[in-house]
Amino acid sequence: MSVLALQEYEFERQFNEDEAIRWMQENWKKSFLFAALYVAFILGGRHVMKQREKFELRKPLVLWSLTLAVFSIFGAIRTGSYMTYILMTKGLKQSVCDQSFYNGPVSKFWAYAFVLSKAPELGDTLFIVLRKQKLIFLHWYHHITVLLYSWYSYKDMVAGGGWFMTMNYLVHAVMYSYYALRAAGFKLSRKFAMFITLTQITQMIMGCVVNYLVYSWMQQGQECPSHMQNIVWSSLMYLSYFVLFVQFFIEAYLSKSKLSAATVDKKIK
């Protein structure tokens, strides 16, 4: 059985990963420009909206969330299938350290699509600002740091990237489906939001575990291509997310003064 048995689609086969990686190596610092424009929009947009009535934007929000949900579902299926195949046939170390995720016949397109998607995902905040909802630290901090780290890491094809991306695709597949249903007016159990938060916390723990494995194998002199700077930044990022999401979970679901459903929706994003 080969990876091609996962049924490689034409657009995946035709994707030129060498060109994509080369472009990212030359342009990854533009992620800082996107981040700066994002912060400027937040500050400027909130200032302008103080003098205006909020926008409803329910239909655009349904379309936005549904689009990201479908994209994440397909990404989760394709990368998940690839990572499962590598794990089952070549073992855990190969699934973590092998750079084939970045140039494999099934996964290469979805790896690049994942990285690029972190720029348009900043648009989530547009709805919060225009609808004059509360913008919390976790929301914008998460968006900025994921964008910067994803572009920074893809250019070096660092070990562990396959697991990082696959886990994020899976979480977003569930999360954006939830947002689409909520925006469409469906009443969902609070347990659904709790489940999403738990999956996010689990993702942060697994991210730290993957970083530890990469570091351990590097220290043992085994081939696991990464560098200490990346491992340090990635670990700090995942640990900060873990603390913030645990804090949110306690406030939202365990504290006596529970947060409103609307606040929960914004915080789990």
Side-chain angles (χ1 to χ4, degrees), residues 69-89:
V70 172
F71 167 72
S72 299
I73 290 169
F74 276 102
I77 292 172
R78 299 306 285 162
T79 61
S81 298
Y82 183 84
M83 292 303 292
T84 299
Y85 168 80
I86 298 297
L87 181 64
M88 298 299 292
T89 59

Side-chain angles (χ1 to χ4, degrees), residues 37-52:
L37 292 174
Y38 176 66
V39 173
F41 167 78
I42 291 174
L43 297 176
R46 295 179 74 182
H47 176 74
V48 170
M49 289 305 297
K50 283 183 179 179
Q51 315 300 326
R52 297 174 176 269

Side-chain angles (χ1 to χ4, degrees), residues 129-143:
V129 172
L130 295 181
R131 299 174 80 198
K132 298 183 74 170
Q133 296 177 317
K134 184 178 179 181
L135 179 63
I136 48 89
F137 173 75
L138 176 56
H139 176 94
W140 61 263
Y141 168 74
H142 178 75
H143 272 301

